[in-house]
Amino acid sequence: MNCESFGSCGSCTLGEPYEDQILYKKQLIGDKFREFFDGEFEFFASQPQNYRIRAEFGIWHDIWHSAFDLAYTMGGARSKKILINECPKVALPIANLMPRLLEVLRRSEALKEKLFGVEFISCASGILATLLYHKRLGEREQEAICELAGKLGIRVMARARGQKLLSGELSLTDELCVDERVYKFRFGENAFIQPNRGVNEKMIAWARSCVDFGKEGMGVVCAAQNFAVKNSIAENSVAQNSSHEQSDAQNSTDRNSASENSAEFDAACRNFVKANSACIEFNGENFVKFNYASADESSADKNSARKDLDVRNSASQNLDCEKRCVQNSACEKLIAQNSSCEQSAPQNSSCEKHSVRPENSAARDLLELYCGHGNFTIPLAAKFNRVLASEISKSSIANARINCELNGVCNAQFVRLSADELMSAFARRREFERLKGIDIFGYDFSHVLIDPPRAGLEPSVIDFIKNFENLIYISCNPQTLFENLRSLCATHEVRRFAIFDQFAHTAHIECGVLLKRRS
């Protein structure tokens, strides 16, 4: 990537050819995590440029040169900020819009006054440009953004403290192609989204490939189903079962199956040449290199749940599956009856004709923490019988339910709870109105997917998820992942380890780890 500002701009810190950056990151992660995993580290590369679908720039005002009185700025490597003319990292629709937008802003007194920043989002539904102000916005600015949107063919938002103006209806929708299927996602302008669409698609496909209900695990599946049903019989009344049967019949219509493909290594990780940089230790002084992150990255949910629950999986392993095959058949029906009550009316309304059938008859249930607007939930839903997903953001939960309808997913239940609150509910320490009508103890979780913020998982949350057989950990911070694996590997072993290069030309690294409970 050729960038005229490299070295003075503080955003990109790796100037080597991209192939060498790949080798450097593989060596860095491989050396650090080799104590947990001695297999092949999968690497999923980015486009070298034009990969960012979300970007933010400052605005500089020059009061002495009226012909060029506005310019974009970025944080500098050796100064607070620098002026830039372009940014090769941003997606082409944003790159092409940037000079045109600046030219129109220069001619509008209403829009350039007190303007201090611009944010861009490029998605399937178009481009949103958000103008940030240090002033009170009024009718003059409202008229001006409508005119701007019409000239450039984009959506425009103006924001100031406590104010938000829109040029028209705002509906952001993107499309992701995963395992030969296109998924549609609606999200809000403030939602956390993965900024690299191509790597995000690879990351989701990799997570799907981590779900394996093969013959090797059938014994455990059968035993777990037997044990789960015993608990279900004790916890559910005859009246509940009757109503669930009706709901189950309604939810089982016409489901589409998605094709299942395992993720492949990116070709770039197959090129082995000498890395041109030394291995860097993850110590306090050097780890500052890993602290580059998107400004809109979620910081919700600092989990503080306590050690709580004995999960049914461990106890159920003692049951003899072969002698109980007849019982299993009846049990599976009962589980389906008890599960269907969890689907809310809005989620079911448009799903009946387009719902997705689980891709494997041995599928069990998925628990997902920090689900956002369903980035992983929606594509993974077809791998499981049912999904319980939690998220603290009210708007993200609302969009996640809409995304279920957009993609014909009816087996996912979303709850607006932090991880801490959900742990309290599982431990029966607290009751929540938001869980009314949802039997969280009726699930039979075989997998837990966790995608925490940079702070990682607190010990109490680790103690909870240790009880489950399969863990899929998506990490945006290698240091906290390393610390969490020290605890998790006491009960689990790492089966797969992936590196996702979400931010090419920077030291930021994201990882995916599949852990399986030790026998």
Coordinates of all heavy atoms in Angstrom, one line a residue, residues 251-284:
N251 N -43.7 -23.5 14.5 CA -42.3 -23.0 14.2 C -41.5 -24.0 13.3 O -40.4 -23.7 12.9 CB -41.5 -22.9 15.5 CG -41.9 -21.7 16.3 OD1 -42.4 -20.7 15.7 ND2 -41.8 -21.7 17.6
S252 N -42.1 -25.1 12.9 CA -41.3 -26.2 12.2 C -41.5 -26.2 10.7 O -41.2 -27.1 10.1 CB -41.7 -27.5 12.8 OG -43.0 -27.8 12.6
T253 N -42.2 -25.1 10.2 CA -42.5 -25.1 8.8 C -41.4 -24.7 7.9 O -40.6 -23.8 8.2 CB -43.7 -24.2 8.5 OG1 -43.3 -22.9 9.0 CG2 -44.9 -24.6 9.3
D254 N -41.3 -25.4 6.8 CA -40.5 -25.0 5.6 C -39.2 -24.3 5.9 O -39.0 -23.1 5.8 CB -41.3 -24.1 4.8 CG -41.0 -24.2 3.3 OD1 -40.3 -25.1 3.0 OD2 -41.5 -23.4 2.6
R255 N -38.1 -25.1 6.3 CA -36.8 -24.5 6.6 C -35.8 -24.7 5.5 O -35.8 -25.7 4.9 CB -36.4 -25.1 7.9 CG -37.4 -24.9 9.1 CD -36.9 -25.6 10.3 NE -37.9 -25.3 11.3 CZ -37.7 -24.7 12.5 NH1 -36.5 -24.3 12.8 NH2 -38.6 -24.5 13.3
N256 N -35.0 -23.7 5.3 CA -34.0 -23.8 4.3 C -32.6 -24.2 5.0 O -32.3 -23.6 6.0 CB -33.8 -22.4 3.6 CG -35.0 -21.9 3.0 OD1 -35.7 -22.7 2.4 ND2 -35.3 -20.6 3.1
S257 N -31.9 -25.1 4.3 CA -30.6 -25.5 4.9 C -29.5 -24.7 4.2 O -29.6 -24.5 3.0 CB -30.4 -27.0 4.7 OG -30.4 -27.3 3.4
A258 N -28.6 -24.3 5.0 CA -27.4 -23.6 4.4 C -26.3 -24.6 4.2 O -26.1 -25.6 4.9 CB -27.0 -22.5 5.4
S259 N -25.5 -24.3 3.2 CA -24.4 -25.2 2.9 C -23.3 -25.1 3.9 O -23.1 -24.0 4.4 CB -23.8 -24.9 1.5 OG -23.3 -23.6 1.5
E260 N -22.6 -26.2 4.2 CA -21.6 -26.2 5.3 C -20.2 -26.4 4.7 O -20.0 -27.4 4.1 CB -21.9 -27.3 6.3 CG -20.9 -27.4 7.4 CD -21.3 -28.4 8.5 OE1 -22.4 -29.0 8.2 OE2 -20.6 -28.6 9.4
N261 N -19.4 -25.4 4.8 CA -18.0 -25.5 4.3 C -17.1 -25.2 5.4 O -17.3 -24.3 6.1 CB -17.8 -24.6 3.1 CG -18.7 -24.9 1.9 OD1 -18.8 -26.1 1.6 ND2 -19.4 -23.9 1.4
S262 N -16.0 -25.9 5.4 CA -15.0 -25.5 6.4 C -14.1 -24.4 5.9 O -13.8 -24.4 4.7 CB -14.1 -26.7 6.8 OG -13.6 -27.3 5.6
A263 N -13.7 -23.5 6.7 CA -12.8 -22.4 6.3 C -11.5 -22.9 5.9 O -10.9 -23.8 6.4 CB -12.7 -21.4 7.5
E264 N -10.9 -22.2 4.9 CA -9.6 -22.6 4.4 C -8.6 -21.6 4.8 O -8.9 -20.4 5.0 CB -9.6 -22.7 2.9 CG -10.6 -23.7 2.3 CD -10.6 -23.8 0.8 OE1 -9.9 -22.9 0.2 OE2 -11.2 -24.7 0.3
F265 N -7.3 -22.0 4.8 CA -6.2 -21.1 5.1 C -6.2 -20.1 4.0 O -6.4 -20.4 2.8 CB -4.9 -21.8 5.2 CG -4.6 -22.6 6.4 CD1 -4.1 -23.8 6.3 CD2 -4.9 -22.0 7.6 CE1 -3.9 -24.5 7.5 CE2 -4.6 -22.7 8.8 CZ -4.1 -24.0 8.7
D266 N -5.9 -18.9 4.3 CA -5.6 -17.9 3.2 C -4.3 -18.2 2.6 O -3.3 -18.7 3.2 CB -5.5 -16.5 3.8 CG -5.6 -15.4 2.8 OD1 -4.6 -15.2 2.1 OD2 -6.7 -14.8 2.6
A267 N -4.2 -18.0 1.2 CA -3.0 -18.4 0.5 C -1.8 -17.7 1.0 O -0.7 -18.2 0.9 CB -3.2 -18.1 -1.0
A268 N -2.0 -16.5 1.6 CA -0.8 -15.8 2.0 C 0.0 -16.5 3.1 O 1.2 -16.3 3.2 CB -1.2 -14.4 2.5
C269 N -0.7 -17.2 4.0 CA 0.0 -17.9 5.1 C 0.8 -19.1 4.6 O 1.5 -19.7 5.4 CB -1.0 -18.2 6.2 SG -2.0 -19.6 5.8
R270 N 0.6 -19.5 3.4 CA 1.4 -20.6 2.9 C 2.8 -20.2 2.4 O 3.6 -21.1 2.0 CB 0.6 -21.3 1.8 CG -0.7 -21.8 2.2 CD -1.4 -22.5 1.1 NE -2.8 -22.9 1.4 CZ -3.2 -23.9 2.0 NH1 -2.3 -24.8 2.4 NH2 -4.5 -24.2 2.3
N271 N 3.0 -18.9 2.2 CA 4.3 -18.4 1.7 C 5.3 -18.3 2.8 O 5.2 -17.3 3.6 CB 4.1 -17.1 0.9 CG 3.1 -17.2 -0.2 OD1 3.1 -18.3 -0.9 ND2 2.3 -16.2 -0.4
F272 N 6.2 -19.2 2.9 CA 7.1 -19.1 4.0 C 8.5 -18.5 3.6 O 9.2 -19.1 2.8 CB 7.4 -20.5 4.6 CG 6.3 -21.1 5.3 CD1 5.3 -21.9 4.6 CD2 6.0 -20.9 6.6 CE1 4.3 -22.5 5.2 CE2 4.9 -21.4 7.2 CZ 4.1 -22.2 6.6
V273 N 8.7 -17.3 4.0 CA 10.0 -16.6 3.8 C 10.4 -16.1 5.2 O 9.6 -16.1 6.1 CB 9.9 -15.5 2.8 CG1 9.5 -16.0 1.4 CG2 8.9 -14.5 3.3
K274 N 11.6 -15.6 5.3 CA 12.1 -15.2 6.5 C 11.4 -13.9 7.0 O 11.3 -13.0 6.2 CB 13.6 -14.9 6.4 CG 14.5 -16.1 6.6 CD 15.9 -15.8 6.7 CE 16.7 -17.0 7.0 NZ 18.2 -16.7 7.2
A275 N 11.0 -13.9 8.2 CA 10.4 -12.7 8.7 C 11.5 -11.7 8.9 O 12.6 -12.0 9.4 CB 9.6 -13.0 10.0
N276 N 11.2 -10.4 8.6 CA 12.2 -9.4 8.7 C 12.2 -8.6 10.0 O 12.8 -7.5 10.1 CB 12.1 -8.4 7.5 CG 10.8 -7.8 7.5 OD1 9.9 -8.1 8.3 ND2 10.6 -6.9 6.5
S277 N 11.5 -9.1 11.0 CA 11.5 -8.4 12.3 C 11.6 -9.4 13.4 O 11.1 -10.5 13.3 CB 10.2 -7.6 12.4 OG 9.1 -8.3 12.1
A278 N 12.2 -9.0 14.5 CA 12.4 -9.9 15.6 C 11.1 -10.1 16.4 O 10.2 -9.3 16.3 CB 13.5 -9.3 16.5
C279 N 11.1 -11.3 17.1 CA 9.9 -11.6 17.9 C 9.9 -10.6 19.0 O 10.8 -10.3 19.7 CB 10.0 -13.0 18.4 SG 8.7 -13.5 19.5
I280 N 8.6 -10.1 19.3 CA 8.5 -9.1 20.3 C 7.7 -9.7 21.5 O 6.7 -10.4 21.3 CB 7.7 -7.9 19.8 CG1 8.5 -7.2 18.7 CG2 7.3 -6.9 20.9 CD1 7.8 -6.0 18.2
E281 N 8.3 -9.6 22.7 CA 7.6 -10.1 23.9 C 6.4 -9.3 24.2 O 6.3 -8.1 24.0 CB 8.6 -10.1 25.1 CG 9.8 -11.0 24.9 CD 9.4 -12.5 24.8 OE1 8.4 -12.8 25.5 OE2 10.0 -13.2 24.1
F282 N 5.4 -10.0 24.8 CA 4.2 -9.3 25.2 C 4.4 -8.7 26.6 O 3.7 -9.1 27.6 CB 3.0 -10.3 25.3 CG 2.4 -10.6 24.0 CD1 3.1 -11.3 23.0 CD2 1.1 -10.2 23.7 CE1 2.5 -11.6 21.8 CE2 0.5 -10.5 22.5 CZ 1.3 -11.2 21.5
N283 N 5.3 -7.8 26.8 CA 5.4 -7.2 28.1 C 4.8 -5.8 28.1 O 4.3 -5.3 27.1 CB 6.9 -7.1 28.5 CG 7.7 -6.4 27.5 OD1 7.3 -5.4 26.9 ND2 9.0 -6.8 27.3
G284 N 4.8 -5.2 29.3 CA 4.1 -3.9 29.5 C 4.6 -2.9 28.6 O 3.8 -2.0 28.1

